[in-house]
């Protein structure tokens, strides 16, 4: 892909279309979020833990005030010290969601790669563990330079997945930004 076409990829196009359909108020709030300093939208610290997150760990996230979301570790790639997580929309009990195939509508944000610092700094706090096999719709990460999707092991996927994410590891503030953005989008208009 040419550098001049970097913002003309499938995920960027999907975002532009989604944004264009939002109310003016939601657009204003998202634009304001983009202009905020990180401390203004950063996740709240719950409690620090040194234990390396394991597959099946269910964790809490506190983006603001008394609002909590749950996530689950679906894979850890120890060679690279990366952890693949899901963060759920909080419209239903997480245990019910884990009993069935997880789809895009169950998630607040797309599957994401993070580092263990989310736990060691206290932004994610493991509250329990599930031994249940976690099944999720097809998902993948989009490589904007080579124009293909791959899995968490950087293996090219044969077809376009149903759930898509931009490639790369989310920074310590990246999850906070994405969660806040999705919360704005999903808020009921009043």
């Amino acid at each position: 892909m040419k550098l001049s076409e970097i913002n003309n990829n499938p995920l960027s196009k999907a975002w532009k279309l989604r944004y264009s359909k939002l109310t003016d108020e939601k657009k204003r709030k998202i634009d304001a979020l983009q202009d905020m300093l990180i401390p203004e939208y950063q996740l709240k610290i719950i409690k620090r833990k040194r234990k390396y997150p394991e597959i099946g760990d269910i964790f809490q996230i506190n983006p603001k005030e008394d609002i909590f979301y749950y996530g689950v570790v679906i894979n850890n790639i120890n060679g690279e010290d990366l952890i693949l997580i899901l963060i759920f929309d909080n419209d239903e009990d997480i245990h019910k969601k884990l009993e069935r195939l997880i789809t895009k509508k169950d998630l607040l944000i797309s599957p994401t790669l993070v580092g263990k610092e989310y736990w060691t700094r206290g932004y994610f706090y493991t509250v329990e563990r599930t031994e249940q096999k976690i099944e999720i719709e097809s998902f993948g990460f989009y490589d904007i330079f080579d124009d293909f999707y791959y899995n968490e092991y950087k293996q090219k996927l044969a077809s376009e997945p149903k759930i898509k994410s931009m490639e790369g590891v989310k920074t310590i503030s990246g999850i906070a930004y994405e969660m806040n953005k999705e919360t704005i989008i999903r808020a009921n208009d009043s």
Side-chain angles (χ1 to χ4, degrees):
M1 178 177 281
K2 294 179 185 174
L3 204 51
S4 61
E5 295 176 12
I6 225 142
N7 291 324
N8 195 25
N9 64 68
L11 296 183
S12 181
K13 288 178 185 177
W15 167 246
K16 288 173 187 170
L17 178 62
R18 188 176 183 209
Y19 181 85
S20 73
K21 293 179 180 181
L22 295 175
T23 64
D24 289 341
E25 178 66 13
K26 288 184 180 185
K27 287 178 186 176
R28 186 191 63 70
K29 288 180 179 180
I30 289 171
D31 294 345
L33 178 64
Q34 289 177 335
D35 294 334
M36 285 182 186
L37 299 173
I38 294 169
E40 296 178 86
Y41 64 80
Q42 182 58 281
L43 301 173
K44 305 298 178 224
I45 293 173
I46 301 172
K47 186 176 179 182
R48 292 173 171 87
K49 277 194 170 182
R50 294 269 177 226
K51 185 177 178 279
Y52 192 83
E54 296 182 29
I55 296 170
D57 281 358
I58 297 171
F59 56 93
Q60 262 188 336
I61 310 149
N62 179 222
K64 57 179 124 182
E65 291 90 43
D66 294 328
I67 299 171
F68 288 88
Y69 287 86
Y70 287 93
V72 66
V73 175
I74 59 172
N75 203 351
N76 53 23
I77 302 112
N78 285 324
E80 296 184 38
D81 230 11
L82 299 177
I83 300 142
L84 181 61
I85 63 164
L86 303 178
I87 296 177
F88 294 93
D89 198 359
N90 63 358
D91 63 343
E92 181 183 358
D93 182 277
I94 188 171
H95 297 288
K96 288 181 182 175
K97 289 182 181 183
L98 294 175
E99 291 174 0
R100 64 176 192 270
L101 178 70
I102 297 166
T103 64
K104 184 176 181 173
K105 70 180 179 80
D106 295 315
L107 302 174
L108 182 65
I109 63 175
S110 297
T112 304
L113 289 167
V114 297
K116 66 181 178 178
E117 65 273 6
Y118 277 96
W119 284 266
T120 59
R121 293 185 184 179
Y123 296 116
F124 291 175
Y125 178 66
T126 301
V127 292
E128 61 183 294
R129 185 168 166 65
T130 182
E131 296 297 328
Q132 189 167 335
K133 182 176 177 355
I134 300 165
E135 295 189 37
I136 180 170
E137 248 180 349
S138 65
F139 70 91
F141 301 98
Y142 182 71
D143 183 319
I144 60 174
F145 296 106
D146 294 323
D147 192 29
F148 68 82
Y149 294 93
Y150 62 88
N151 66 15
E152 66 266 35
Y153 298 107
K154 297 201 177 200
Q155 298 165 331
K156 190 173 181 178
L157 299 176
S159 60
E160 184 175 330
K162 291 184 179 181
I163 305 173
K164 305 161 191 82
S165 261
M166 200 56 94
E167 71 172 322
V169 179
K170 286 278 193 254
T171 63
I172 204 74
S173 59
I175 295 285
Y177 178 81
E178 288 298 318
M179 289 183 73
N180 278 281
K181 182 175 80 172
E182 282 302 319
T183 302
I184 292 166
I185 293 170
R186 294 171 191 221
N188 292 328
D189 291 320
S190 41

